[in-house]
């Protein structure tokens, strides 16, 4: 069973930056597309970025140009660099494969506020 552990969230001012990490157990990490999802209060969880095994990436329009997803297959880890953060980026952030197959981790909270 794959387990996902997210970290790196926090409180940041508008315009600030954060780097989120997701460590995945299991040897199949290197052969699956991984994604970062987020869920704001009262809203549905949405996919904001995904990265294929070969490194190609796709971003939601709302984060394009501000967020960067990357992966280190040797470490079974996927990252999300969040730049130029806006208040509307406030949410709990989760990683999972695309499409979702594994139990959700606990997520990591990102709060953008002055």
């Amino acid at each position: 069973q794959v387990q996902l552990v997210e970290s790196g969230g926090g409180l940041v001012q508008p315009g600030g930056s954060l780097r989120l990490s997701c460590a995945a157990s299991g040897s199949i990490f290197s052969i699956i597309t991984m994604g970062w999802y987020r869920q704001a209060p009262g809203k549905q969880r949405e996919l904001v970025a995904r990265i294929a095994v070969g490194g190609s990436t796709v971003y939601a329009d709302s984060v394009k140009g501000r967020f960067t997803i990357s992966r280190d297959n040797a470490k079974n880890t996927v990252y999300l660099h969040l730049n130029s953060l806006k208040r509307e980026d406030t949410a709990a952030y989760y990683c999972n494969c695309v499409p979702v197959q594994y139990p959700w981790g606990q997520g990591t909270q990102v709060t953008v506020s002055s």
Side-chain angles (χ1 to χ4, degrees), residues 23-82:
S25 64
S27 59
I28 66 169
F29 176 86
S30 63
I31 62 171
I32 55 177
T33 295
M34 291 297 296
W36 279 96
Y37 301 74
R38 69 183 180 187
Q39 186 168 21
K43 294 187 177 182
Q44 288 190 329
R45 195 168 299 185
E46 60 172 345
L47 175 66
V48 297
R50 67 175 187 242
I51 183 167
V53 171
S56 60
T57 57
V58 179
Y59 297 93
D61 287 343
S62 58
V63 307
K64 198 173 295 181
R66 301 188 298 119
F67 291 9
T68 302
I69 188 171
S70 60
R71 66 191 296 163
D72 185 336
N73 290 335
K75 295 182 178 180
N76 281 9
T77 301
V78 60
Y79 305 97
L80 187 67
H81 297 256
L82 295 73

Side-chain angles (χ1 to χ4, degrees), residues 2 4 6 8 10-11 15-16 21 24-25 29 35 48 50-52 58 68 79 86 88 90-92 103 111 113:
V2 173
L4 303 166
E6 301 92 349
L11 173 64
S21 299
S25 64
F29 176 86
V48 297
R50 67 175 187 242
I51 183 167
V58 179
T68 302
Y79 305 97
K86 304 176 181 180
E88 51 264 43
T90 294
T111 302
S113 175

